[in-house]
Amino acid sequence: MTSALIGNYARYDIEFERGEGVRLWDAEGNEYLDFLSGIAVCNTGHCHPQVVAAVQEQAARLLHVSNLFYTAPMVRLAERLAERSLGGGGKVFFANSGAEANEAALKLARKRRRGGRFVVLHGGFHGRTFGALSATPQETKQAPFAPLVPGFDAVLPEAAPDAIGPETAGVVIELVQGETGVHPLPVELVHAIRAACDEHGALLIVDEVQTGMGRTGTLFASERYGIRPDLMTLAKGLGGGLPIGALVAAPEYADVFAPGDHGSTFAGNPLVTAAANAALDVIDDPAFLEAVRERGTLLTEGVRELPGVSDVRGAGLMVAAELSVDAPELVKRALTEQRLVLNATGPRTLRFLPPLVVSEAEITDALGRLQALLA
Ligand SMILES: *Cc1c(COP(=O)(O)O)cnc(C)c1O
């Protein structure tokens, strides 16, 4: 389609032009059913009217002033996130992406325990910048960019509690490992990690970039697990489709950063925070979140019935299936033959991340299209 873009993505030869709810239209006018949500970003669906109205209104009023000043949408979002997470009373740092939110968390934890080490989990994914990549122990992603940031120890999830010691600045975990195939960590393991962090004074850093903002059927996945992280990072679904990330620090760690320790020119600008406030209005509603859990069950049970599906995992509307056929090939056929947008996280692993506004009828429709391909 163009030779002007650096080839770091394996893009499909489709140009999208318009979106509404769970539907997308390409430049030729073909209609698609979207079960990817721009990789867990469009949780409120494409162009949700409340998000669009907030963006239009804010765009005409004020776009950017820098972090030398306050704006009302930024203040409001910070207060809401602080109140709704980590038991309340924490503080927020805004970033522009998931990787940047994680960088902020790593720097905060390192500043608090100078020279400290990080325990990170195999199967975890935390982003592509050097710090976040150092927390992402995958040979193919890390090797070309060595040397990485020193001080990261990668362990299997079950070995994490024993790997935490007095030298540990922080442990970085996803409660449901998303990019490597939707693997929920066992509840007892997460509680054991929490206890080991408490014992050694290490920070539990929970990366909710993918699991947060209602994706698993609660506003944050830590609620499902019944734990309180020390630091939580958000991005993806936070901005209703606009790029924004955030670090929330529990009250005890909220004042580790002093002026000059960290920063970002764009982060938390009034446009993206206005969009995020509108998305939060939609998502943080008990009836909405209950519907996410119900739809999640419907999708999971439906996927389990499909031919050639051996294992189904997930939480809420974050679901993956193991197939007996090639998953990337199926994704390509779903796009071209059934106009269904899906994603493969591995050679046999299919991932479903529909907008959280998906209806029962749309789930039945998507399952029907997959059935036609797999039959
Ligand atoms: C996507 C993702 C990231 C990286 O977010 P970017 O916005 O691409 O930097 C980090 N952590 C998790 C769990 C993710 O799913």
Side-chain angles (χ1 to χ4, degrees):
M1 210 158 270
T2 178
S3 58
L5 285 163
I6 287 177
N8 60 311
Y9 300 108
R11 289 181 208 271
Y12 298 100
D13 204 19
I14 295 175
E15 184 182 297
F16 282 120
E17 206 169 67
R18 190 164 68 84
E20 193 183 313
V22 183
R23 284 166 209 272
L24 283 168
W25 287 268
D26 69 17
E28 286 155 20
N30 298 306
E31 184 182 306
Y32 296 75
L33 198 56
D34 180 12
F35 269 51
L36 181 57
S37 307
I39 317 182
V41 167
C42 304
N43 287 9
T44 49
H46 293 284
C47 300
H48 190 287
Q50 282 169 254
V51 175
V52 170
V55 169
Q56 285 176 332
E57 202 271 337
Q58 188 59 46
R61 183 184 296 271
L62 184 67
L63 287 174
H64 178 84
V65 290
S66 87
N67 280 306
L68 301 176
F69 306 97
Y70 293 99
T71 66
M74 176 180 72
V75 169
R76 180 159 178 253
L77 183 63
E79 289 181 345
R80 296 174 79 187
L81 291 177
E83 179 185 330
R84 268 304 263 120
S85 63
L86 314 187
K91 295 187 185 179
V92 177
F93 166 81
F94 286 117
N96 305 288
S97 66
E100 282 181 58
N102 287 329
E103 292 293 330
L106 295 170
K107 282 181 71 177
L108 192 157
R110 212 16 117 44
K111 190 187 173 204
R112 173 180 164 270
R113 184 164 271 176
R114 302 282 167 105
R117 302 188 65 82
F118 291 99
V119 172
V120 300
L121 306 192
H122 285 293
F125 178 85
H126 303 288
R128 307 293 196 136
T129 56
F130 267 107
L133 180 62
S134 303
T136 300
Q138 290 177 49
E139 179 68 12
T140 52
K141 290 188 171 64
Q142 290 187 336
F145 307 103
L148 299 176
V149 179
F152 286 76
D153 301 313
V155 299
L156 290 171
E158 54 272 27
D162 288 336
I164 297 163
E167 71 297 340
T168 309
V171 185
V172 189
I173 65 170
E174 290 165 273
L175 295 169
V176 183
Q177 296 182 322
E179 290 309 293
T180 55
V182 188
H183 295 279
L185 294 190
V187 176
E188 322 77 66
L189 174 62
V190 172
H191 283 261
I193 294 172
R194 173 72 274 180
C197 286
D198 290 340
E199 187 185 339
H200 296 288
L203 297 193
L204 177 57
I205 303 169
V206 178
D207 178 343
E208 293 237 23
V209 167
Q210 189 162 154
T211 54
M213 307 321 295
R215 178 52 62 184
T216 71
T218 49
L219 188 59
F220 306 114
S222 59
E223 296 168 39
R224 292 174 66 98
Y225 277 79
I227 52 138
R228 197 192 72 150
D230 298 312
L231 304 178
M232 172 179 77
T233 55
L234 298 171
K236 293 205 164 97
L238 180 58
L242 267 66
I244 176 173
L247 161 68
V248 189
E252 308 91 292
Y253 313 109
D255 298 314
V256 171
F257 279 152
D261 277 340
H262 195 48
S264 163
T265 300
F266 287 123
N269 82 39
L271 186 75
V272 295
T273 48
N277 275 307
L280 190 57
D281 288 340
V282 175
I283 295 169
D284 194 13
D285 163 3
F288 183 90
L289 291 168
E290 194 190 327
V292 173
R293 297 192 289 275
E294 283 168 12
R295 306 281 144 78
T297 304
L298 189 72
L299 176 62
T300 306
E301 284 171 2
V303 170
R304 196 169 277 130
E305 304 288 294
L306 290 171
V309 167
S310 52
D311 182 35
V312 184
R313 301 176 295 270
L317 285 169
M318 184 173 176
V319 174
E322 291 303 318
L323 306 179
S324 58
V325 298
D326 186 82
E329 185 58 34
L330 184 72
V331 167
K332 200 175 277 178
R333 287 183 58 216
L335 259 181
T336 54
E337 295 171 29
Q338 292 289 334
R339 307 224 186 278
L340 172 65
V341 184
L342 282 169
N343 162 251
T345 61
R348 302 269 166 189
T349 312
L350 196 60
R351 179 171 55 166
F352 302 80
L353 294 166
L356 306 184
V357 297
V358 70
S359 69
E360 286 185 22
E362 286 159 337
I363 289 173
T364 307
D365 183 354
L367 291 169
R369 295 185 199 203
L370 270 174
Q371 174 84 37
L373 290 170
L374 288 165

